[in-house]
Amino acid sequence: MRIVIIGPTHPYKGGITQHTTQLAHTLCALGEQVHIESWKNQYPARLYKGQLTVPADQPEMPEFPNVTRELCWNRPDSWISSARRAARADVAVLVVANPVQIIPYLTMLPLLHHGGATVVGLVHNVLPHEHSPWDRPLTERFLKSVDLVVTHSDEQATVARELGAEEPLVLDLPPNLDPQTVPPLVVRSDQASPLRLLFFGLVRPYKGLGILLDAMTDVPQAHLTIAGEFWSPVEETQSQISSLGLDDRVVIRRGYVPTSELPGLFGAIDLVVLPYRSVTGSGNTKMALLFNRPLVVSDIGVLPAEVKGGVGLTFRSEDPTDLARALLQAANPTTYNDLAQHVAAVSHSAEVSWKSYAQGLLERLR
């Protein structure tokens, strides 16, 4: 089939960009004819407080060769020209990272349907974690207008149905990266030895960093690295760290972490913690397992299922006391080493996962 994916690719950064790029590579490897219609200016800068792109000469993964980069959020003429090119394909996949992109997509949809393309809405978050008044009506109209909706969890599929999607396709979110360097497993021998924790990714209120900091006051062996871009004032986090007496146990590494530095980052820690208050799906669970690290996650959304099979522990969401209990449990050498062995037993092949993901999409389309 001739497939056009309309979504972000290099030099944009991050998980959704990596996902778009890997999907294109995998579909091409399966014999499909693939083109990416990407963004030149994805959305107003005020909507994304972090770093939007990586250096042009430092792609996060092999670049996809067949790309047009002309879409601009504030240029309707670019929406129309992109739609006209995409309408020649058999399938157009519209990647939704933020509801603001639905405005261009709604303009493009009549042209895509007129050209005969089957339109797929690939929705990473059906509704964003931090809502705006226009999110629900825009999303509802979009989901009712496309031919197929793809989500990455049963929970998100339920939300999509409530907004008008018919029979959403649920595909398990694959890991975006297939690292060449994987840190060795950690072996703990002492309950009191430092338990090195990692909070990774965007620092936003719904991700619950404050809950983790509160929990650390009851886990004296816990040491934390915070690695990511802050969407709230970093001074607020630094103030909480100081007020809790954690200055000597918390390191803040501000800014986006390039993929080349991920093996070193994960190799220097024991445990990845996701204290989320809200979640629709998280590539960080896959990332932890790719780099041989167990997890402690809140008991909401898809997260408990991500640690089934003994690769992690759960705690009651928004409960620092229960998070401290889980961290102390993980600090126990017997428990930690058992978690690590289960992580080692998990298949880390991103290639296998991506092939299954792409085949699931193609089977539904055919």
Side-chain angles (χ1 to χ4, degrees), residues 182-187 291-294 336 339-341 343-344 348:
V182 177
L185 292 172
V186 174
V187 177
F291 287 105
N292 271 334
R293 294 301 180 261
Y336 183 89
L339 292 172
Q341 289 303 314
V343 170
H348 296 325

Coordinates of all heavy atoms in Angstrom, one line a residue, residues 182-187 291-294 336 339-341 343-344 348:
V182 N 23.5 -1.7 26.3 CA 22.6 -1.9 27.4 C 23.3 -2.1 28.7 O 24.2 -3.0 28.8 CB 21.7 -3.2 27.1 CG1 20.8 -3.4 28.3 CG2 20.9 -2.9 25.9
P183 N 23.1 -1.3 29.7 CA 23.8 -1.5 31.0 C 23.6 -2.9 31.6 O 22.5 -3.5 31.4 CB 23.3 -0.4 31.9 CG 22.6 0.6 31.0 CD 22.1 -0.2 29.8
P184 N 24.5 -3.4 32.3 CA 24.3 -4.7 33.0 C 23.3 -4.6 34.1 O 23.0 -3.5 34.6 CB 25.7 -5.1 33.5 CG 26.4 -3.8 33.7 CD 25.9 -2.9 32.6
L185 N 22.8 -5.7 34.5 CA 21.9 -5.8 35.7 C 22.6 -5.3 36.9 O 23.8 -5.5 37.1 CB 21.4 -7.2 35.9 CG 20.4 -7.7 34.8 CD1 20.1 -9.2 35.1 CD2 19.1 -7.0 34.8
V186 N 21.9 -4.7 37.8 CA 22.4 -4.4 39.2 C 22.1 -5.5 40.1 O 21.0 -6.1 40.1 CB 21.8 -3.1 39.7 CG1 22.2 -2.8 41.1 CG2 22.1 -1.9 38.7
V187 N 23.0 -5.8 41.0 CA 22.8 -6.8 42.1 C 23.0 -6.1 43.4 O 24.0 -5.5 43.7 CB 23.8 -8.0 41.9 CG1 23.6 -8.9 43.1 CG2 23.7 -8.7 40.6
F291 N 16.7 -0.8 29.2 CA 18.0 -0.6 29.9 C 18.1 -1.4 31.2 O 18.9 -1.0 32.0 CB 18.1 0.9 30.1 CG 18.4 1.7 28.9 CD1 17.4 2.5 28.3 CD2 19.6 1.7 28.2 CE1 17.6 3.2 27.2 CE2 19.8 2.4 27.1 CZ 18.8 3.2 26.5
N292 N 17.4 -2.5 31.3 CA 17.6 -3.5 32.4 C 17.4 -2.9 33.7 O 18.1 -3.2 34.7 CB 19.0 -4.0 32.3 CG 19.1 -5.3 31.4 OD1 18.2 -6.0 31.2 ND2 20.3 -5.5 30.9
R293 N 16.3 -2.1 33.9 CA 16.1 -1.5 35.2 C 14.6 -1.8 35.6 O 13.7 -1.5 34.8 CB 16.3 0.0 35.2 CG 17.8 0.4 35.0 CD 18.7 -0.2 36.1 NE 20.1 0.1 35.9 CZ 21.0 -0.7 35.4 NH1 20.6 -1.9 34.9 NH2 22.3 -0.4 35.4
P294 N 14.4 -2.3 36.8 CA 13.1 -2.5 37.4 C 12.4 -1.1 37.6 O 13.0 -0.1 37.5 CB 13.3 -3.2 38.7 CG 14.7 -3.7 38.6 CD 15.4 -2.7 37.8
Y336 N 14.8 -6.9 45.3 CA 15.4 -6.2 44.1 C 16.0 -7.2 43.1 O 15.8 -7.1 41.9 CB 16.5 -5.2 44.6 CG 17.0 -4.4 43.4 CD1 16.4 -3.3 42.9 CD2 18.1 -4.9 42.6 CE1 16.8 -2.6 41.8 CE2 18.5 -4.3 41.5 CZ 17.9 -3.1 41.1 OH 18.3 -2.5 39.9
L339 N 13.4 -8.9 41.1 CA 12.9 -8.0 40.1 C 13.8 -7.9 38.9 O 13.4 -8.0 37.7 CB 12.7 -6.6 40.7 CG 11.6 -6.4 41.7 CD1 11.6 -5.0 42.3 CD2 10.2 -6.6 41.1
A340 N 15.1 -7.8 39.2 CA 16.1 -7.6 38.2 C 16.2 -8.9 37.3 O 16.3 -8.8 36.1 CB 17.5 -7.4 38.8
Q341 N 16.0 -10.1 37.9 CA 16.0 -11.3 37.1 C 14.8 -11.4 36.2 O 14.9 -11.9 35.1 CB 16.1 -12.5 38.0 CG 17.5 -12.7 38.7 CD 18.6 -12.7 37.7 OE1 18.6 -13.5 36.7 NE2 19.7 -12.0 38.0
V343 N 13.3 -8.8 34.9 CA 13.6 -7.8 33.9 C 14.5 -8.5 32.8 O 14.3 -8.3 31.6 CB 14.3 -6.5 34.4 CG1 14.8 -5.6 33.3 CG2 13.3 -5.8 35.3
A344 N 15.5 -9.2 33.3 CA 16.4 -9.8 32.3 C 15.7 -10.8 31.5 O 16.2 -11.1 30.3 CB 17.6 -10.5 33.1
H348 N 13.8 -7.8 25.0 CA 14.1 -6.4 24.8 C 14.2 -6.0 23.3 O 14.6 -4.9 23.0 CB 15.5 -6.1 25.4 CG 15.5 -6.3 26.9 ND1 14.4 -6.0 27.7 CD2 16.5 -6.7 27.7 CE1 14.8 -6.2 29.0 NE2 16.0 -6.7 29.0

